[in-house]
Amino acid sequence: MSHADQWLLEHARVVTLTPSSGYGLIEEGALLLRGETLAWVGRRDELPLRLVGEAQRIDCGGRLLTPALIDCHTHLIYAGDRANEFEWRLQGRSYAEIARSGGGILSSVRATRVASDAVLLGSAQQRLAQWLADGVGTLEIKSGYGLDRENELRMLRVARQLGESSGLQIRTTLLAAHALPPEYAGRADDYIELVCREILPAAVAEGLADAVDAFCEGIGFSLAQTRRVFDAAKQLGLPVKLHAEQLSDLRGTRLVAEFGGLSADHIEYSCAEDLAALAAAGGVGVLLPAAFLCLRETQVPDIAAMRACALPMAVATDHNPGTSPCLSLRHAMNLACTLFRLTPEEALRGVTVHAAKALGLADRGQLRPGLRADLALWDLQHPAELSYWMGAAPVHQLWVGGRRLR
Ligand code: NIG
Ligand code: FE
């Protein structure tokens, strides 16, 4: 290995997040990066000299060093925007009402279907710059604005291209069961059949999907339809996750638990019993406070119940043109604290360790030897500041897989 692949980051306040509680802070810490991997993490004065070798040194100047952040729920790829619906909602129309009258998700589907690959990629690249500026190293992206075989697959291909062009780690999720496409109006079961028989196998055949998601809701798909999608995913060996209990309780959270799924997301209306089942099944609860805020929802997720059953809580932007035009994962952390009363430590775990778990990734989200060298260096002193500041991104350096991106 050439010395260009070895870096020693020293004089940092290192937030390891390795203990099961607390920040795991190391003052005057150092990290040794070898290739894509963390080779050593600890106090600078305990670093064995023989390990340093030819590593190039970087003085972190006492700055805060954390794992690169992970946004485990986004709909980053789409065309157009829905600022008009923002205005309508402010005039008193509800999200569900707008969706039922052909707007909402279907409005983004119309725009996305007619957009070229270049337009989808270009607009997503432009937005993605905000995630880089926020210290994000891994990002999940869902399909769901294509709703036919060609366009669902096209969205996932663009997501893969985005990973290649940006250097960020992208995880893709097939969300063909996001809404009923107009050509299937009144025939939801037939559409689910198409998703299970055609779209899902085609995505798997091309290696385009890391997981499968659905929107289980009155304005989405029923629990029985969601179960069919999950069964098909299971047969193809793909993990599942779910938009569950955002507007009502259809017991989607319990279904995720039953399938040993990765996560139940939104979960404002989930009951304590189902949250406990999810925890027992090894799942993650993903909190999406920006969507909650933008829809001016009032049903706060049952955080006390999640804590009581030790359900790992992740926090994500849910970036999408309808319910969450949020471009900052740190802003979502702030909202998780102010709206849902998470502690800043819980919010940080929510965008690192627990977000990694929600994506089924065991190789990132903490700072310890053997994990990926995905790091964010901040112009900050205390980890609570990551949730505290609103606005301008204080990231100083971003490393993904041992490569410096910023
Ligand atoms: O996570 N709830 C369904 N899906 C998205 C919204 C998508 C949209 O409105 O375009 C969500 O909030
Ligand atoms: Fe979503």
Side-chain angles (χ1 to χ4, degrees):
M1 186 174 294
S2 80
H3 66 269
D5 297 327
Q6 298 188 47
W7 300 89
L8 174 65
L9 276 62
E10 47 191 353
H11 307 302
R13 302 193 72 209
V14 183
V15 179
T16 63
L17 296 172
T18 47
S20 56
S21 72
Y23 291 115
L25 200 66
I26 303 173
E27 302 288 352
E28 271 303 314
L31 274 87
L32 192 62
L33 281 55
R34 273 213 199 109
E36 291 192 355
T37 315
L38 289 174
W40 194 89
V41 180
R43 274 180 46 184
R44 176 67 182 92
D45 58 8
E46 289 174 0
L47 173 66
L49 239 119
R50 61 184 166 78
L51 285 184
V52 179
E54 299 206 327
Q56 300 180 75
R57 291 164 180 238
I58 294 188
D59 185 347
C60 296
R63 292 183 180 85
L64 198 69
L65 186 66
T66 69
L69 306 189
I70 299 169
D71 193 348
C72 67
H73 183 140
T74 87
H75 308 247
L76 191 77
I77 294 172
Y78 56 85
D81 66 73
R82 307 224 301 269
N84 55 343
E85 293 182 9
F86 178 60
E87 291 189 319
W88 295 342
R89 287 202 308 274
L90 290 170
Q91 288 158 9
R93 292 180 65 187
S94 75
Y95 178 60
E97 206 181 307
I98 293 169
R100 286 201 185 89
S101 63
I105 295 170
L106 290 185
S107 152
S108 295
V109 170
R110 285 188 291 274
T112 301
R113 282 181 173 179
V114 298
S116 66
D117 290 8
V119 164
L120 291 180
L121 182 63
S123 61
Q125 275 168 335
Q126 211 169 11
R127 290 189 278 271
L128 192 67
Q130 307 291 328
W131 274 259
L132 268 117
D134 238 359
V136 174
T138 300
L139 176 100
E140 184 254 21
I141 301 178
K142 302 172 195 297
S143 65
Y145 294 124
L147 308 188
D148 60 26
R149 175 179 169 155
E150 178 198 335
N151 286 295
E152 283 294 302
L153 266 52
R154 205 159 68 87
M155 287 187 70
L156 295 177
R157 281 188 214 110
V158 170
R160 292 273 195 240
Q161 283 170 27
L162 199 59
E164 283 153 26
S165 65
S166 67
L168 290 193
Q169 293 268 301
I170 305 284
R171 302 293 288 182
T172 54
T173 300
L174 181 76
L175 176 57
H178 195 196
L180 191 61
E183 58 275 19
Y184 276 86
R187 296 188 294 134
D189 284 322
D190 292 349
Y191 178 63
I192 291 296
E193 187 71 7
L194 177 81
V195 171
C196 298
R197 286 280 169 86
E198 258 198 54
I199 305 182
L200 232 156
V204 171
E206 256 191 74
L208 288 174
D210 300 315
V212 173
D213 194 351
F215 184 24
C216 183
E217 190 59 68
I219 54 168
F221 295 95
S222 69
L223 194 68
Q225 289 160 343
T226 303
R227 179 184 286 280
R228 287 174 61 197
V229 174
F230 279 13
D231 274 328
K234 190 175 166 186
Q235 274 178 22
L236 292 166
L238 282 183
V240 297
K241 57 175 86 178
L242 190 63
H243 283 72
E245 277 75 81
Q246 180 184 16
L247 308 169
S248 61
D249 188 3
L250 296 188
R251 313 298 297 270
T253 303
R254 191 174 57 173
L255 191 70
V256 173
E258 185 189 322
F259 276 79
L262 292 170
S263 66
D265 302 34
H266 287 291
I267 57 174
E268 278 90 336
Y269 285 84
S270 304
C271 63
E273 184 193 333
D274 292 357
L275 292 169
L278 183 62
V284 175
V286 178
L287 304 172
L288 305 171
F292 174 92
L293 174 76
C294 294
L295 292 182
R296 304 184 70 230
E297 291 293 325
T298 51
Q299 170 89 17
V300 175
D302 193 345
I303 303 296
M306 296 179 206
R307 287 181 182 137
C309 67
L311 176 67
M313 295 180 282
V315 175
T317 58
D318 191 19
H319 175 83
N320 74 72
T323 63
S324 186
C326 171
L327 296 158
S328 164
L329 185 55
R330 281 185 319 104
H331 192 184
M333 294 167 74
N334 173 273
L335 294 174
C337 295
T338 50
L339 299 176
F340 297 167
R341 312 309 287 166
L342 257 62
T343 66
E345 184 197 320
E346 286 171 328
L348 182 56
R349 284 183 182 275
V351 298
T352 52
V353 200
H354 296 162
K357 186 169 165 60
L359 295 177
L361 300 171
D363 61 353
R364 67 198 74 181
Q366 295 174 320
L367 298 181
R368 60 179 159 80
L371 295 194
R372 284 176 56 86
D374 292 359
L375 315 164
L377 186 65
W378 307 89
D379 278 320
L380 301 172
Q381 289 297 306
H382 193 278
E385 286 183 89
L386 288 163
S387 298
Y388 162 75
W389 295 108
M390 301 169 76
V395 81
H396 185 72
Q397 290 182 12
L398 174 64
W399 295 74
V400 178
R403 254 184 72 207
R404 189 168 163 191
L405 296 190
R406 262 178 88 94

